[in-house]
Structures are given as structure tokens and as C-alpha cells.
Amino acid sequence: MLTDADRVPLAARAWIADGVRGALVAADGTIDWYCPASFDGPPALWRLLDPGGAAVRVGPVREGTGSGRKLPPGSQRYVGDSLVAETVLRTGTGQAVQVLDALAWAGTSAGRILPAGRVVRVATALAGPVEIEVEVLPGAGSGRVDATSEGVAWGSLVVRAGVDFAPAPLGRNRPRWRGVRRLEPGESLVVTVDDRRSVAPALSVGAARRLVDDTVVAWQSWLAPLVAAGSPAHRAATARSALLVRSLTGPAGGPVGAGTTSLPRRAGGERTADDRGVRLRDAAAAAAALARAGLNEDAEAAERWLREAIEGTALPWPASLTPGGDPRPELEELAWVGWRRSQPVVTGTPVGTAPDLDVHGDVALAVSASQRGAWGAGGAGPLTAAALALAAGADWVADHWQEPDGGVWAVSGRPVPLVASTVQAWVALDAAARRAVAANPLDLPAATWRAEARRVLSWLEAEAVAPDGGPRRSVAGAGGPDGGLRRSVADAGGPDDTDAALLRVAWQGPWPAGHPIVAATVDRILERQSAGGLLHRLSEGVDDGRAGADSPDLLASVWAVRALAHLGRWEEAHQRLDAVLAVAGPTGILASAADPLSRELLGNLPATAVHLALMDAAGDLAAGPR
């Protein structure tokens, strides 16, 4: 009997992917999430989000009968520096089975063609003999199911295992298909999940092992140029994060925000979203983090995706696009139960959301920092489409920086001005002016952008910072007695409201890291938003326009590590990074949030922004002592 997906913690899963599509393998041997067409396409296996969803399990026959059949929890890891997952399942009587899972990947430069989207599962008896069962649940509404000795086929998928499948009841008259084979120690069984329309042949054990080994080698070869400093633990986290970011990056070069949709930021809560679009902010972060790690080819691909995105997108730029750089589809609610009954389950993105002023600073820095640059090598040469788009973006920021926006956390409801976004407006204008002067010292728009940047800074220091402790503005922000930055996100907010997005002033803003404003801002945020070493997005009681309580945010938590490192507070920074790494499962995957009490991962995963920030944080910490 397949285990209910929500009984398996999110951290007890491995992510496998091939740069176009991805799947989640649970520690009980079940693949309960798989989008075979693309990261943001419809799933063919979706039991993760609905008990009636489709899934495929490989593992020992469960003991007992009926719904009481269960096995001890399995263990998971990746095979070396790869995206090939190993799950070891043991019975209560001493048998053990290893299941290797891979989405066949030949690397970016391989000359051979693999079957698109082929999931290969190799089950081997480690201690036995052991009865292996292959369970296939087509899912509600799957239409006609064809089950033969060749396999089980429905919809767009076919599962082959070389066993005789027979229907077995699964409650409420929903059938599942089950095949069993006895394996002696060292003997293996191959299961493949393929596109039903492909002509991919069945695999022998030898061919399957070679394909899995080739996939391991391809990932290790891709990672070979990695430059990872710091402690062994930090180097390992950097390597795993780089692999996960690459695995979430489509052919065009932009990384999707996560591999899943609608996993809640609090179990049973309403804070769900489809994070399978490419955020401009994540593409900018990937261009910088991958270059810093020595993975230059992929860094250039991310920057190229970003340039092409802004060249073809009208202002104001959206927070995210499809992997191909197109507008994302409108939000649609699905009639699924949801993980731990969390609603709504959605695809797409809401319409009518506030503009994201904050993203302009990240885009300006990422494109201007590229090796080729928007103006050509060395900052000289003819204007390009990207240069024109960046100039138009700077003009837009100059005209709109005092207006409300959604910010990093996509504040919904009534938009309000955000101090963090205002800081990023300064970053965008300053970068635009410096870039233009580098290309032409007499550039007239540069003078305009520089003057507007001075206006932004004057506003920040006059309105968002109050050295005497008096509030300046109730909505856009107010300062405290120590001169730090504060921010409110609702008219009812007070001067003590804080925002973790402002932690970035420690490495990205108008003041140096040693400035009193920076230290005061970091201290106040850590004081008001910490939860057991992790960090909430906003201070307690702030209304961000969303229903239900939130959980500590892992991107904010890693930003705290970076801020402390830039302030030279090394021990605090290490302690906070250890707290973040402690919530990851054995495979090192991080989601967008974590439960404040149980420390269980929550939210969509793997979370690209978190893993990119983790790569940067490990690099920052390598500069100091431990």
C-alpha cells in the first residue's frame, strides 16, 4: 500500500532532474511528483498534493495487510556529487533493498541523445532474498489504463518493470496495479517511467546500470570547475546547492523558483503559491553566484536569459516569467486536497499584483557585472537591446521609486511604499549611472540617474532614518533611536515594524557595512524576527495582506548569515548558518520555509533562491575565521 504522501516529511525526499523536468522521490520509495514536459508543466505524478493522485513505488513488499502494511523509514542520499538518488529500504525481518533513481542526463556537451524524460529506477537486493513490489497508482481521472506484462500505461506515461501487473483494490473502488518479483542478494530489477509515445526500448539491468553511472559521471563532470571555499561542510553545501540550481535551470538558462507548487509555508495553512516560474531576481542571483563559484558557462547562461527577458518585456517588469521568458499563465485553482489539506492548490500566478520595484537593483547589478556587459566587452561599443532595456528600466525607477510595490515578499492586498524597495531603487539608479559613464563619460542620462540616486538617498536618510527616535512615516518606514532602517507594510503598522529584506544593506546599498545605519538595521531585524536561529520575513503582527500565520523564511535566514559576515561577526554568522543547514534533510535539499517548532521543512522545494543565497553565504564566511 502506498504511504499517504503527507505522512512523509518534505525533507525525506530527493529531487532528481535533467534540466527540463524534475521529480521527487520519497524515502519510502515512492515518486509522488513528476512533471514530464517541463518544470512548470502539468504533473503526471501528483500524489504529493492529493491522495487520489498518481504515483509509482518500488520497494520491499510491505508487511501485514490492508492500510496497516508499513515498513521502517528508509534512508536517502545522493550518489556522490550528482542528482542520482539512493534510497535504502529495510524490512522488519532483516531484508534490505537499494533503489537508485535517475532522470537520465548526458550533460550539456554530450553528443548522444537520451530518451527525453526517462526516469530509471534500479532496485537491488542488499540482504535477502526479498520480495520486491512495484506499485502503480494511475490517479483519479486518468482515463483508460492498459496493464500488460510489458507494463502499465495511462495518460502520457508508461511504467515498465518486466513483471506481471495485477489490479489490487485501494479503497473507494480505486484500483492500483501491483507486480512482485523475488530477488536474491545482488540481483536487480529495472523499472522505467517513460513518455508513452516514445519509442524508448525496455532496459536490461546492465544497460540501466550504465545509464545511471553515465548520469553520475555527467553531473560530476559538470561540477568539476566548482570553486568552493570554507569548511568541508560549507563546501559540501555549496556543491549540493550548485547541483540543485543547475537541475532547476531550463534550456534557456533561467532557474525556476522551485520544482513544486502549492506546498504550504505552514501545514494546513493558506500560504501556497506556484513557484515554478523564473524570477528575474533568481536569474540575477544565479548569474552572480555561479560566476563566483567558477561555473562560468552557466553564469553566462543565466545572465543571457535575464538580458533577453528584459529586452522582450514591457515595463514594469514582472517578478517572474516562464522558463522560456514568456508571461506566466493566470492563476488557476485545482480541485486537489493539498499537502496536509493545505489550500488552495494552484498553478500560474495572480493577476493584478503590485509591481516589483525591488527587482530593478538586482537586474542592474547582474547585467552590468557580466563579462560581456550590455555595451559589449569592456563597457564600450554600440548600444545593445539590453542596454536600451536597462536604460528604460532606470528611467522607470527614477519616475516611480516613491510609489508602493509588492517587494521581495510579494506583499498583497493594498500596496504600500517599502523602504527595502527604496534602497533597491538607489542600487538600480547608481548602477545605471556608473555603467553609462563607463561607456561614455559625457552620457547625459547618467547625470539624471545620478541626481535621482542622490534624491533617493536624501529621502532615505531624512524619512526612513530618525536618529532622534521620532517616527518619520507610518507606512514607508520610520527610524529608531539607534539610526537603523525600519519599515511598515500596512497603514496600521507602527514604527517598530521591521523587514528582513533590509538585511541586504550590509552588502548592497548606499552605506558601507561599517556604517552605524547598517549595524543598527541588522541588529533590530535579528532582535525582532528571530525564531530559534531562523528568521521570519517580517516582525510579529505585521499584516502582509495574506491569510494565516507564516513560518520562518529560509532565504531571510541565509541573508542574516550574509549580513553578519559582512559586519565581521563571524561566530554569530556561523551559528545561524548551522541552524539553516540543520533543517535540511539527508539529501541537503532546502525549501522556502521551516516550521518554528518541529523544524520541519515547509513550502516549495528545492528553493532556488535559498540555495543561491547559501552559495553566497558560504563564500562570505570563507573570508573570516572559524
Side-chain angles (χ1 to χ4, degrees):
M1 179 77 71
L2 288 149
T3 304
D4 290 340
D6 57 11
R7 288 170 53 192
V8 180
L10 294 180
R13 283 177 167 81
W15 169 257
I16 59 174
D18 63 2
V20 176
R21 55 192 68 80
L24 284 174
V25 184
D28 68 347
T30 302
I31 297 179
D32 52 17
W33 180 260
Y34 177 45
C35 296
S38 63
F39 293 121
D40 60 340
L45 303 177
W46 72 95
R47 201 164 190 264
L48 178 69
L49 294 178
D50 190 84
V56 177
R57 177 187 172 269
V58 177
V61 171
R62 298 175 189 261
E63 301 165 2
T65 59
S67 60
R69 300 192 310 150
K70 59 183 179 179
L71 290 171
S75 60
Q76 282 188 310
R77 69 179 184 95
Y78 282 113
V79 179
D81 287 331
S82 79
L83 264 295
V84 173
E86 177 195 64
T87 306
V88 176
L89 298 159
R90 302 182 185 277
T91 70
T93 53
Q95 293 96 345
V97 174
Q98 174 204 63
V99 182
L100 295 176
D101 281 286
L103 258 166
W105 189 65
T108 55
S109 59
R112 57 196 175 85
I113 299 175
L114 297 174
R118 164 165 272 190
V119 180
V120 179
R121 318 195 71 188
V122 182
T124 302
L126 300 179
V130 58
E131 297 284 315
I132 296 290
E133 65 181 352
V134 181
E135 295 178 277
V136 179
L137 183 67
S142 296
R144 176 179 171 177
V145 180
D146 297 315
T148 67
S149 59
E150 171 70 10
V152 178
W154 77 97
S156 63
L157 293 186
V158 57
V159 178
R160 300 186 180 100
V163 298
D164 291 324
F165 284 97
L170 187 63
R172 283 183 274 180
N173 298 318
R174 287 193 297 111
R176 64 185 169 103
W177 273 257
R178 178 174 178 263
V180 178
R181 175 176 291 181
R182 177 186 175 93
L183 297 182
E184 299 295 330
E187 192 176 2
S188 298
L189 170 70
V190 176
V191 180
T192 58
V193 182
D194 284 301
D195 186 325
R196 189 176 184 179
R197 297 158 296 183
S198 79
V199 293
L203 288 177
S204 66
V205 171
R209 287 194 174 279
R210 286 192 297 273
L211 192 149
V212 170
D213 290 344
D214 288 349
T215 301
V216 171
V217 170
W219 282 114
Q220 291 175 337
S221 298
W222 175 82
L223 192 64
L226 179 74
V227 176
S231 70
H234 294 165
R235 288 194 293 272
T238 299
R240 180 54 52 195
S241 291
L243 286 163
L244 290 168
V245 170
R246 176 62 184 86
S247 77
L248 290 158
T249 300
V256 295
T260 58
T261 178
S262 303
L263 292 174
R265 292 180 56 86
R266 179 158 292 200
E270 302 172 53
R271 291 175 179 261
T272 63
D274 186 356
D275 289 330
R276 298 176 298 157
V278 181
R279 299 187 186 96
L280 272 65
R281 182 177 295 106
D282 289 348
L290 295 173
R292 184 178 186 179
L295 301 168
N296 295 323
E297 183 177 334
D298 291 87
E300 291 175 4
E303 187 267 338
R304 184 170 57 251
W305 183 93
L306 189 61
R307 283 192 292 111
E308 293 175 355
I310 63 174
E311 289 169 9
T313 305
L315 289 160
W317 295 329
S320 66
L321 297 167
T322 68
D326 299 316
R328 296 189 65 195
E330 295 183 8
L331 191 75
E332 177 185 356
E333 292 192 20
L334 305 179
W336 293 348
V337 172
W339 189 78
R340 297 188 181 174
R341 310 192 74 83
S342 303
Q343 288 287 325
V345 178
V346 299
T347 63
T349 188
V351 296
T353 54
D356 187 3
L357 172 66
D358 184 283
V359 78
H360 285 264
D362 293 317
V363 172
L365 289 178
V367 176
S368 63
S370 73
Q371 293 179 353
R372 288 171 294 178
W375 275 265
L383 289 176
T384 65
L388 296 174
L390 287 168
D395 287 338
W396 188 88
V397 171
D399 292 338
H400 296 273
W401 64 266
Q402 298 187 72
E403 297 178 8
D405 79 310
V408 174
W409 313 127
V411 174
S412 58
R414 179 181 177 184
V416 293
L418 310 175
V419 171
S421 296
T422 308
V423 173
Q424 286 295 96
W426 180 91
V427 171
L429 292 167
D430 178 71
R434 287 188 287 104
R435 184 179 57 240
V437 168
N440 178 5
L442 300 179
D443 189 87
L444 293 178
T448 301
W449 298 329
R450 184 163 287 163
E452 199 64 26
R454 286 195 294 267
R455 284 189 62 204
V456 175
L457 180 56
S458 296
W459 183 92
L460 285 168
E461 294 185 335
E463 302 292 340
V465 181
D468 61 358
R472 302 284 193 179
R473 297 170 75 96
S474 62
V475 175
D482 48 6
L485 292 170
R486 292 182 175 177
R487 172 271 213 178
S488 300
V489 296
D491 286 332
D496 289 337
D497 295 338
T498 51
D499 175 5
L502 280 168
L503 289 168
R504 293 171 297 170
V505 300
W507 67 88
Q508 185 173 299
W511 305 284
H515 197 286
I517 289 176
V518 174
T521 299
V522 172
D523 283 339
R524 185 180 293 110
I525 291 170
L526 298 185
E527 175 188 350
R528 296 182 179 277
Q529 296 173 222
S530 292
L534 303 179
L535 204 70
H536 283 278
R537 290 176 169 181
L538 305 167
S539 56
E540 185 178 3
V542 174
D543 180 11
D544 63 357
R546 296 188 177 187
D550 202 4
S551 298
D553 185 84
L554 295 186
L555 177 58
S557 300
V558 180
W559 278 350
V561 176
R562 297 200 67 193
L564 289 166
H566 281 267
L567 292 175
R569 291 155 58 174
W570 302 108
E571 189 57 33
E572 291 179 71
H574 280 286
Q575 290 173 357
R576 285 191 173 268
L577 182 57
D578 290 344
V580 172
L581 295 178
V583 303
T587 58
I589 290 175
L590 290 167
S592 62
D595 186 275
L597 299 178
S598 69
R599 319 290 283 183
E600 183 180 356
L601 287 181
L602 292 168
N604 290 315
L605 78 166
T608 295
V610 178
H611 283 287
L612 286 168
L614 185 60
M615 292 175 67
D616 284 329
D620 291 342
L621 288 176
R626 173 72 186 212

